[in-house]
Amino acid sequence: MKIQVNSNILWCDVFTNRLAQLGVKDVCISAGSRSTSLTLSFNMNNNFSIYRFVDERSSAFFALGIAKKTKNPVVIVTTSGTAVAEIYPAIIEAFYQRIPLIVCTADRPEYLINSGANQTINQNNIYSNHIRYFINVGLPDLSKLNFVRKIAEDSYSVSLHKNRGPVHINFPFEKPFEPNSYTDFINQDKTNKFFVNTEIVLKKNFNDKLSFIKINKLMKNKKGLIFVGSNGFDEIFEKYLIKFSEKYFYPIVVDGASSLRFGKNINKNIIDNFTTIIRSELFKKKFDPEIIIQFGAAPTSNVVLEFYKNSNANKFIINDYGDYLDPSRTTRNVIKFSPTEFCKNLVELNEEKSDNKLWLKIFIEANELIEKEKEKYFSKNNFPFESKIITEFLKSIPNNSNVFVSNSLPIRDFDFFASKSKKNIEIFTNRGASGIDGINSTALAIAHKSKNPTYLIIGDLSFFHDLNGLYASYKYNIPLTIILINNNGGGIFESLPVSNYEEYFKENFIMPLNMNFKKIIETYRGEYKKIKSWNQFSLELIKSHKSKKLTVLEIKTNAKKSKALRNNFWHIAVEHLNNYINEIKY
């Protein structure tokens, strides 16, 4: 039986239905005419949760947050023209963090490119430097429905498995776009086969046992160090990581952007004060490792990056895709392999343990010494010391919390001073490209996809940069507690050499906003509290996690004073550490 169809809609239905069959659940859409067929097709399929945004940039960063939390591909739909460019920052972030996004951009037909047609730009592979897969599907062709179905399969497989990250499908359309604007007659029996669910089988190849015997011989009785970056690792990895550390007596340095500093099974081998320890030149000189094993992203802090750069260690980077995650460019060994399987294979080799007990013991004792000095130093009031915000925050939030740490100064303070804890806390960041755009949107998406209380620690410039993102908080009734650290400008620049150039510094780098955030937050139906003491901060944090709406706790700080307090702590801590080093025999 022949039926009337709109070719654009049927083309999109085959594509969207296949994505639904494969397990895609979430779609973020911004309004536009050229994307009408995609928008309607996703909306008419009851398998999708649809999120609608005025601002394409907020939409894309919200999608990024959902994908971070669910670890499943999320679709972004935009119309043609400059809307396509608006989502690029989120794509860049997804590319570097390997977050699965399926970007669907609507486009004008090819013959209208460079013709002066309205809302028409050259969208062909526009994200080429930051995409894992691209295809321009061409105008709908009902003789090629299997082709567009295969594109859905390829985009899903690449984004989630084969080369995890963002993929881009460009869809040119000609009018009419709507379902009841018929363009073709087609035999219904011929279309049915394109909606049948079939399974995709993915094959994984693992290295042979001989490779691990060789690696074991290389590492055995060598003084080593394990570094764990910000990429999301699960409990199974953590289990084998600890066993790996215990077998070879390698301390585990966990970056502040990783969740492995937290959890009920926290281990003494995890070193959380490494950024302070290596400020001691004496320690670096006496305890430079022979081997460094890196899992996940590169370090957050410059002091650790410098340590890596100057270390004489033989360095290994292990990740699923063979990504070369080393800004110092001093690593010579990149192993494309599952970090969990890497640790498991080495742990399960029937070999004796290494003889490096003293090496590990020194790192543990140095870490504990710094922790005691930190507790003593931070016990002083010093409100509103920026770094103490981190320690007070972690004391007050409940178990099973999500914490999104913004870029710039908050993530560095978190890396410097967040102590490991038995609280189960999941850490999220946008550390792929480390921009300050879209942070509010990403955090709100994580809060929306979780039943656990969610917190965002953010500076005033980053918060201001994504005020549009707050629109999602009341549109979708998303509870999120934001700790707004307001030093009235880019406080991180106080730590850089440019701060010595006072003539140009304030106007070109600090950029004070002098804004009343209270009124802005109330515009978005949120609750606002100005924090004036540590006790109030703790009480408001406890209250906020029971709230069902956006809550912003603003702490006004002084960047110069906070910088001085940090430097003073590091001076005291290093002095005590050096005394310890001089006393031990090694």
Side-chain angles (χ1 to χ4, degrees):
M1 182 181 76
K2 286 198 171 184
I3 57 172
Q4 284 183 300
V5 297
N6 177 285
S7 61
N8 292 325
I9 290 292
L10 181 57
W11 187 250
C12 292
D13 282 351
V14 171
F15 175 79
T16 61
N17 185 73
R18 189 60 180 139
L19 287 182
Q21 290 173 344
L22 292 168
V24 175
K25 300 183 187 314
D26 300 290
V27 184
C28 294
I29 297 174
S30 295
S33 174
R34 191 59 50 170
S35 55
T36 296
S37 300
L38 279 167
T39 297
L40 292 177
S41 184
F42 277 114
N43 274 271
M44 291 186 294
N45 190 316
N46 294 328
N47 293 297
F48 296 113
S49 296
I50 309 294
Y51 302 94
R52 302 164 183 90
F53 294 86
V54 176
D55 185 336
E56 287 87 357
R57 189 180 70 170
S58 295
S59 174
F61 275 105
F62 195 86
L64 181 77
I66 293 176
K68 279 175 179 283
K69 183 61 182 173
T70 64
K71 298 177 174 58
N72 201 45
V74 178
V75 175
I76 302 168
V77 176
T78 85
T79 193
S80 62
T82 57
V84 176
E86 293 290 341
I87 65 175
Y88 202 174
I91 290 170
I92 293 171
E93 182 62 30
F95 178 83
Y96 285 113
Q97 281 205 319
R98 287 196 176 272
I99 305 298
L101 297 178
I102 299 174
V103 180
C104 301
T105 57
D107 200 358
R108 299 294 180 103
E110 188 177 357
Y111 62 79
L112 288 178
I113 306 296
N114 298 323
S115 69
N118 189 39
Q119 283 190 306
T120 304
I121 66 172
N122 185 356
Q123 297 174 198
N124 193 59
N125 210 6
I126 192 171
Y127 314 120
S128 59
N129 290 327
H130 304 97
I131 213 77
R132 302 293 178 187
Y133 165 86
F134 167 76
I135 188 165
N136 190 327
V137 300
L139 289 168
D141 182 344
L142 299 190
S143 69
K144 296 181 179 178
L145 291 177
N146 199 53
F147 167 67
V148 76
R149 188 175 192 269
K150 182 67 163 53
I151 288 169
E153 294 176 350
D154 290 345
S155 61
Y156 176 84
S157 295
V158 173
S159 71
L160 189 59
H161 299 294
K162 292 180 179 178
N163 194 9
R164 190 178 178 90
V167 301
H168 176 207
I169 307 107
N170 195 54
F171 286 90
F173 296 110
E174 287 186 306
K175 292 180 180 181
F177 308 130
E178 298 76 18
N180 294 333
S181 300
Y182 302 122
T183 60
D184 296 84
F185 283 93
I186 191 168
N187 192 316
Q188 188 173 18
D189 292 338
K190 289 185 178 180
T191 65
N192 288 341
K193 65 179 180 180
F194 299 112
F195 293 90
V196 175
N197 192 4
T198 55
E199 186 179 356
I200 294 179
V201 179
L202 294 165
K203 296 180 180 179
K204 292 185 177 180
N205 297 317
F206 294 104
N207 291 7
D208 56 46
K209 191 173 181 179
L210 184 61
S211 301
F212 289 97
I213 293 172
K214 290 178 180 178
I215 293 171
N216 176 70
K217 286 181 179 179
L218 177 68
M219 295 195 315
K220 192 176 181 182
N221 296 323
K222 292 283 181 71
K223 299 173 183 67
L225 187 69
I226 302 167
F227 176 80
V228 182
S230 63
N231 291 15
F233 295 110
D234 59 19
E235 290 182 0
I236 300 173
F237 169 74
E238 185 175 8
K239 170 188 169 183
Y240 284 107
L241 174 71
I242 297 299
K243 289 183 176 181
F244 175 43
S245 168
E246 290 172 344
K247 179 174 180 177
Y248 293 96
F249 297 101
Y250 285 10
I252 307 167
V253 175
V254 176
D255 193 86
S258 170
S259 301
L260 293 189
R261 285 194 190 183
F262 308 99
K264 61 182 179 181
N265 298 318
I266 200 72
N267 190 276
K268 65 180 181 179
N269 292 11
I270 290 176
I271 308 300
D272 52 346
N273 291 304
F274 193 66
T275 56
T276 298
I277 290 171
I278 56 172
R279 291 174 195 275
S280 164
E281 294 298 326
L282 181 60
F283 189 94
K284 286 190 291 186
K285 183 179 178 180
K286 292 194 71 171
F287 304 108
D288 187 25
E290 295 171 284
I291 288 178
I292 295 176
I293 307 290
Q294 178 184 327
F295 301 110
T300 291
S301 302
N302 285 335
V303 65
V304 183
L305 288 170
E306 281 298 309
F307 165 80
Y308 266 55
K309 181 180 177 181
N310 297 323
S311 174
N312 293 313
N314 189 7
K315 300 162 191 170
F316 293 81
I317 294 174
I318 295 96
N319 58 64
D320 289 292
Y321 301 97
D323 292 336
Y324 189 48
L325 303 174
D326 176 18
S328 75
R329 318 307 283 178
T330 58
T331 301
R332 297 291 173 265
N333 309 286
V334 180
I335 300 175
K336 183 181 179 181
F337 202 74
S338 159
T340 302
E341 293 295 326
F342 181 86
C343 293
K344 185 174 183 287
N345 273 274
L346 286 171
V347 165
E348 292 179 350
L349 283 178
N350 293 321
E351 301 283 343
E352 293 181 4
K353 284 187 175 182
S354 298
D355 186 22
N356 278 324
K357 288 184 180 179
L358 182 56
W359 169 261
L360 176 61
K361 181 173 180 284
I362 289 168
F363 274 82
I364 292 172
E365 289 181 352
N367 192 60
E368 291 172 349
L369 183 153
I370 298 298
E371 188 63 27
K372 288 177 183 177
E373 290 303 318
K374 185 167 67 180
E375 288 174 3
K376 189 189 305 181
Y377 189 83
F378 279 56
S379 66
K380 301 169 186 175
N381 192 294
N382 287 329
F383 183 85
F385 177 22
E386 289 171 346
S387 303
K388 189 172 177 178
I389 292 172
I390 303 301
T391 58
E392 294 300 306
F393 166 78
L394 289 171
K395 287 178 188 174
S396 301
I397 63 172
N399 192 31
N400 298 318
S401 293
N402 303 310
V403 177
F404 194 107
V405 188
S406 181
N407 288 319
S408 199
L409 198 54
I411 187 59
R412 286 167 174 81
D413 264 344
F414 206 88
D415 191 30
F416 295 151
F417 300 115
S419 300
K420 59 188 179 183
S421 164
K422 288 192 174 182
K423 284 184 182 178
N424 184 35
I425 299 172
E426 190 168 5
I427 304 300
F428 296 90
T429 65
N430 278 355
R431 292 300 293 170
S434 303
I436 66 168
D437 42 357
I439 300 292
N440 297 338
S441 298
T442 311
L444 281 162
I446 290 164
H448 181 62
K449 281 294 178 179
S450 177
K451 294 179 181 179
N452 296 330
T454 303
Y455 302 86
L456 167 61
I457 304 173
I458 192 168
D460 52 309
L461 292 188
S462 300
F463 182 71
F464 173 75
H465 211 287
D466 191 26
L467 287 179
N468 280 357
L470 299 179
Y471 169 75
S473 66
Y474 81 89
K475 181 177 175 64
Y476 296 109
N477 299 312
I478 302 173
L480 174 69
T481 299
I482 298 178
I483 294 84
L484 174 55
I485 303 172
N486 185 358
N487 53 32
N488 203 26
I492 192 170
F493 290 105
E494 289 285 358
S495 302
L496 301 179
V498 72
S499 62
N500 296 320
Y501 296 84
E502 294 183 8
E503 183 181 355
Y504 308 103
F505 183 59
K506 187 172 183 180
E507 290 187 0
N508 292 281
F509 293 92
I510 293 297
M511 295 186 179
L513 295 174
N514 298 313
M515 293 189 69
N516 186 338
F517 285 113
K518 181 177 186 291
K519 293 182 178 179
I520 295 170
I521 292 154
E522 289 172 348
T523 299
Y524 287 102
R525 321 295 201 270
E527 292 185 359
Y528 168 89
K529 295 287 182 181
K530 184 177 180 180
I531 303 301
K532 298 180 180 178
S533 70
W534 296 125
N535 186 53
Q536 183 199 4
F537 182 43
S538 178
L539 291 173
E540 292 295 345
L541 280 170
I542 293 168
K543 282 170 56 179
S544 73
H545 86 259
K546 299 175 183 177
S547 173
K548 301 299 181 184
K549 61 194 298 187
L550 175 71
T551 302
V552 178
L553 309 179
E554 182 181 20
I555 305 177
K556 292 192 173 182
T557 66
N558 184 303
K560 280 190 176 181
K561 288 182 180 179
S562 291
K563 175 187 174 183
L565 287 167
R566 282 187 203 94
N567 289 339
N568 188 45
F569 165 73
W570 286 323
H571 175 76
I572 293 169
V574 168
E575 189 175 3
H576 282 85
L577 179 60
N578 287 343
N579 290 338
Y580 162 78
I581 295 167
N582 287 325
E583 289 174 2
I584 60 176
K585 293 180 179 179
Y586 183 74

